[in-house]
């Protein structure tokens, strides 16, 4: 299947700093990417939908000024957690829709964020 | 309101047995139903998916059964193996670049 690469896989940052997570579709173009957050033993919670060249659409309750999403190209979307706090510690996962295969959605490996 | 209901929450199956996970949806506009497998600390991996124009799809040991009138679909894992132990999520979406709506997941344990 198609490959979605996420980087970094693990990151530890100090409270108050910002962290950027990258999501790349390696072998297909993705006009749309999605960002999820997952707490232990829970399902995936959609944070936002990222469309190439336009502003992201955030789900209700997700602070757009805290979770900055940029989709600058057809293969790259970034999530920046600004002024991170310990409660932002979580598993962040991106996914991308492969329009060439009927919009099949593939997920990245996820990024563990720990804010200390 | 949960749009995709998944059951059971956890499942223990003997090696070689059949694992069955069920999902029900509410939105009749859904037309894409994938199943994902997730191991601890990893992102979900697409396992198999079905569209409503067919009632069943089989790939190796994995089969999706789809009942459009009942708005239900299920995953069957034949000859379950310990390596199948993972969390399985059903999902649904409408055609186009719309996000997936996930079930709450089923933790499958296959014991020898």
């Amino acid at each position: 299947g198609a490959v979605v690469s996420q980087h970094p896989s693990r990151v530890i940052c100090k409270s108050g700093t910002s962290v950027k997570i990258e999501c790349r579709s390696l072998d297909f173009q993705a006009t749309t990417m999605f960002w999820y957050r997952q707490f232990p033993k829970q399902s995936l919670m959609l944070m936002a939908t990222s469309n190439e060249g336009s502003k992201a659409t955030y789900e209700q309750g997700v602070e757009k000024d805290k979770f900055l999403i940029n989709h600058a190209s057809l293969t790259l979307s970034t999530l920046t957690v600004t002024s991170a706090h310990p409660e932002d510690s979580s598993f962040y996962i991106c996914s991308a829709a492969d329009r060439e295969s009927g919009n099949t959605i593939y997920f990245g490996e996820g990024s563990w964020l720990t804010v200390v | 309101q949960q749009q995709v209901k998944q059951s059971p929450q956890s499942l223990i199956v003997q090696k070689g047995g059949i694992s069955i996970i069920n999902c029900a949806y509410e939105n009749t506009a859904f037309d894409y139903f994938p199943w994902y497998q997730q191991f601890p600390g990893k992102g979900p991996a697409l396992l198999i998916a079905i569209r409503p124009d067919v009632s069943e799809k089989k790939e190796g040991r994995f089969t999706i059964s789809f009942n459009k009138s009942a708005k239900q679909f299920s995953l069957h894992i034949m000859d379950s193996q310990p390596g199948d132990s993972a969390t399985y999520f059903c999902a649904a979406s409408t055609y186009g670049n719309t996000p997936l709506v996930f079930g709450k997941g089923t933790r499958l344990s296959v014991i020898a």
Side-chain angles (χ1 to χ4, degrees):
Chain A
V3 178
V4 176
S5 174
Q6 213 172 315
H7 177 80
S9 58
R10 288 182 179 273
V11 58
I12 301 173
C13 71
K14 290 185 177 181
S15 185
T17 62
S18 296
V19 175
K20 180 184 286 187
I21 300 170
E22 291 187 348
C23 179
R24 294 181 184 272
S25 56
L26 296 186
D27 50 1
F28 65 96
Q29 292 184 332
T31 53
T32 304
M33 292 184 173
F34 307 96
W35 286 95
Y36 292 84
R37 185 174 181 176
Q38 187 179 33
F39 292 104
K41 300 184 180 180
Q42 293 189 23
S43 189
L44 290 81
M45 183 188 78
L46 179 67
M47 298 176 65
T49 300
S50 167
N51 293 299
E52 187 264 339
S54 63
K55 291 183 178 181
T57 302
Y58 290 83
E59 294 300 299
Q60 191 174 12
V62 178
E63 299 176 60
K64 61 180 180 181
D65 294 330
K66 181 169 187 61
F67 299 99
L68 300 179
I69 292 173
N70 183 273
H71 194 155
S73 75
L74 286 172
T75 59
L76 173 65
S77 176
T78 60
L79 167 68
T80 302
V81 183
T82 64
S83 186
H85 291 284
E87 56 264 31
D88 298 325
S89 299
S90 188
F91 190 48
Y92 292 89
I93 313 172
C94 72
S95 67
D98 180 4
R99 58 183 177 179
E100 295 297 322
S101 68
N103 286 317
T104 300
I105 295 175
Y106 298 96
F107 282 82
E109 282 291 297
S111 298
W112 284 100
L113 170 63
T114 302
V115 184
V116 298
Chain B
Q1 185 181 20
Q2 187 183 357
Q3 294 192 58
V4 178
K5 294 183 179 180
Q6 184 172 346
S7 63
Q9 191 174 13
S10 63
L11 181 62
I12 299 174
V13 173
Q14 289 276 352
K15 179 182 176 181
I18 302 174
S19 303
I20 301 175
I21 305 171
N22 300 299
C23 283
Y25 63 97
E26 299 167 4
N27 188 347
T28 55
F30 287 150
D31 62 359
Y32 176 64
F33 304 90
W35 284 89
Y36 288 87
Q37 179 189 58
Q38 186 179 31
F39 293 104
K42 300 293 185 181
L46 179 63
L47 202 57
I48 187 172
I50 197 169
R51 295 196 185 272
D53 52 345
V54 296
S55 61
E56 186 175 282
K57 183 176 181 180
K58 183 176 181 179
E59 290 184 2
R61 296 185 294 110
F62 302 94
T63 300
I64 297 179
S65 296
F66 182 78
N67 186 330
K68 188 174 182 178
S69 60
K71 293 187 288 185
Q72 296 175 345
F73 59 109
S74 60
L75 175 69
H76 291 62
I77 305 174
M78 312 299 287
D79 187 26
S80 299
Q81 299 297 314
D84 297 329
S85 298
T87 299
Y88 292 81
F89 292 97
C90 64
S93 71
T94 55
Y95 182 77
N97 295 328
T98 58
L100 291 167
V101 177
F102 282 90
K104 291 193 172 184
T106 297
R107 298 187 74 186
L108 171 65
S109 297
V110 182
I111 57 176

